[in-house]
Amino acid sequence: MEQLRAAARLQIVLGHLGRPSAGAVVAHPTSGTISSASFHPQQFQYTLDNNVLTLEQRKFYEENGFLVIKNLVPDADIQRFRNEFEKICRKEVKPLGLTVMRDVTISKSEYAPSEKMITKVQDFQEDKELFRYCTLPEILKYVECFTGPNIMAMHTMLINKPPDSGTHKGSLKPHDYPKWEGGVNKMFHGIQDYEENKARVHLVMEKGDTVFFHPLLIHGSGQNKTQGFRKAISCHFASADCHYIDVKGTSQENIEKEVVGIAHKFFGAENSVNLKDIWMFRARLVKGERTNL
């Protein structure tokens, strides 16, 4: 039985990494819908058999690479996460390993510590309050549809986008720093061969809505045209049965070098540290009894 499960998971991973590129997802008006292709159950590559997603939801995710669940996170939890973020901004709490980032345009400002100067916090796995998000039953019941029952949180972040100051079926594209006037934040990598005029799908999400999307889906966030800050909390999940691959000689090697360099500077780590060591530090089992990393 374990061999059959392992073989099934391997087929899913190979599907993620090597599925031939298909036609672009067609953009629709925000209020419109995206039609799903016809699928036979054996053709599902990105979702596992489950009793949570409807057949139509599975078809939609397979075809489009994302799925929005409305009103998934309760208001009370959202307020608690917001309160904890504000404490971090005021330096009232300093969880181990947390990286607090300012926008490059205000990096030298003299604002008093507040949400107005912090645009992102990375790696909040040691913050018990924020990490509760990754363990919410409402979230995990959907994550399990993609990863299986043993779930690992691989990377966590909270984005705080200020007011206007900007196909999952293909292979992983090269990433590097965009050539923007004035520079960009550290580790703000973008796709190098992205076609600006390529069709897009626009999502409008309300408070508490959650989007689940495929790791190879090209995604981004447009300008914040409101007067307030736009917050989003996220986690990258994976099966706890996953394994790390050597990225040397791939399009991701440049990112590995940068991440390792930052780890050396931030943690004072020895030169023997590698990307696997860093991800092991960031990863956290959130559901399941074992991990084979």
Side-chain angles (χ1 to χ4, degrees), residues 144-243:
E144 187 170 341
C145 300
F146 308 107
T147 65
N150 297 324
I151 304 171
M152 185 74 80
M154 305 300 296
H155 175 226
T156 55
M157 64 179 173
L158 190 154
I159 301 168
N160 184 43
K161 192 157 192 174
D164 186 16
S165 33
T167 71
H168 71 295
K169 298 179 182 178
S171 59
L172 182 62
K173 295 182 176 294
H175 288 61
D176 212 325
Y177 286 104
K179 304 299 188 293
W180 287 356
E181 182 179 351
V184 295
N185 287 336
K186 194 72 173 175
M187 294 299 295
F188 188 88
H189 290 191
I191 296 172
Q192 294 301 290
D193 60 353
Y194 180 67
E195 300 174 18
E196 290 293 334
N197 296 324
K198 197 169 186 178
R200 304 178 185 182
V201 174
H202 297 277
L203 298 182
V204 173
M205 297 177 64
E206 304 295 337
K207 181 180 179 181
D209 293 352
T210 304
V211 60
F212 297 89
F213 55 83
H214 190 282
L216 296 186
L217 182 69
I218 298 174
H219 62 280
S221 176
Q223 290 181 329
N224 180 2
K225 298 181 180 180
T226 72
Q227 297 302 308
F229 283 69
R230 187 171 68 203
K231 294 177 174 60
I233 190 170
S234 74
C235 179
H236 298 168
F237 292 100
S239 169
D241 301 313
C242 70
H243 66 279

Side-chain angles (χ1 to χ4, degrees), residues 12 15-16 19 22 25 35-50 53-67 145-146 167-169 212 214 217:
I12 293 171
H16 286 298
R19 183 170 175 174
V25 176
S35 60
S36 298
S38 298
F39 283 89
H40 191 273
Q42 282 84 356
Q43 292 178 298
F44 289 127
Q45 296 190 63
Y46 307 132
T47 58
L48 304 174
D49 290 340
N50 63 85
L53 300 180
T54 67
L55 181 60
E56 286 304 312
Q57 286 176 320
R58 291 187 70 183
K59 289 179 179 178
F60 185 93
Y61 184 87
E62 293 280 337
E63 177 65 14
N64 301 294
F66 70 91
L67 184 66
C145 300
F146 308 107
T167 71
H168 71 295
K169 298 179 182 178
F212 297 89
H214 190 282
L217 182 69

Side-chain angles (χ1 to χ4, degrees), residues 115-126:
E115 71 165 6
K116 294 184 178 180
M117 61 184 293
I118 304 301
T119 58
K120 186 181 294 185
V121 294
Q122 299 265 21
D123 300 325
F124 57 69
Q125 67 272 6
E126 299 302 325

